[in-house]
Amino acid sequence: MTQAHAKKQPTRTPCRHPLCGDSATYYERVARGAEARPHCRAHHLEWKYLQHVQRLRDRYEPRQRAVMPCGTAAAAARHRRRKEPVCDPCRLADNARTTEWKARNRDA
């Protein structure tokens, strides 16, 4: 058999997406039941990883909490946390909270 008459091997159909190697191509091939190409799979996995990282960043981004003004028990805790002297309004508010808590939980 000569080279000209050799039976051609069937070629794989090229990705229809203009940017071969993206997630759309990956999903398209998987939906058709075809095997995903390695470069499509690699791009898809990278994209999924980046999406995962972004979700983690969004989840664990520190929340901005409102700073309670002086004269509250939360402000007294803030003074202690920062190792500052507790001002009189905060000390009185914290004492009132503690007294109320003890009255509620005395019988429990």
Side-chain angles (χ1 to χ4, degrees):
M1 202 188 280
T2 63
Q3 282 287 29
H5 297 297
K7 187 174 182 181
K8 287 186 173 183
Q9 292 290 336
T11 58
R12 293 184 176 173
T13 56
C15 292
R16 291 186 338 193
H17 200 275
L19 298 174
C20 184
D22 67 349
S23 290
T25 305
Y26 173 80
Y27 283 124
E28 175 187 317
R29 292 187 66 82
V30 169
R32 285 188 288 149
E35 183 179 340
R37 293 204 168 101
H39 52 276
C40 294
R41 185 185 313 276
H43 179 84
H44 171 70
L45 292 175
E46 179 185 355
W47 178 79
K48 292 293 274 186
Y49 174 74
L50 292 176
Q51 294 295 314
H52 173 70
V53 168
Q54 185 61 45
R55 280 195 301 272
L56 287 177
R57 274 194 201 124
D58 292 345
R59 183 184 304 160
Y60 293 111
E61 189 172 282
R63 292 180 291 178
Q64 296 296 325
R65 293 185 178 181
V67 177
M68 296 302 287
C70 274
T72 61
R78 184 180 70 234
H79 287 309
R80 284 193 211 89
R81 202 171 43 248
R82 293 179 179 177
K83 301 196 183 335
E84 300 170 347
V86 181
C87 63
D88 287 333
C90 292
R91 184 180 52 79
L92 293 173
D94 193 42
N95 288 346
R97 183 189 62 85
T98 304
T99 304
E100 177 195 334
W101 184 85
K102 284 182 178 181
R104 257 189 326 194
N105 295 303
R106 187 167 292 142
D107 296 331

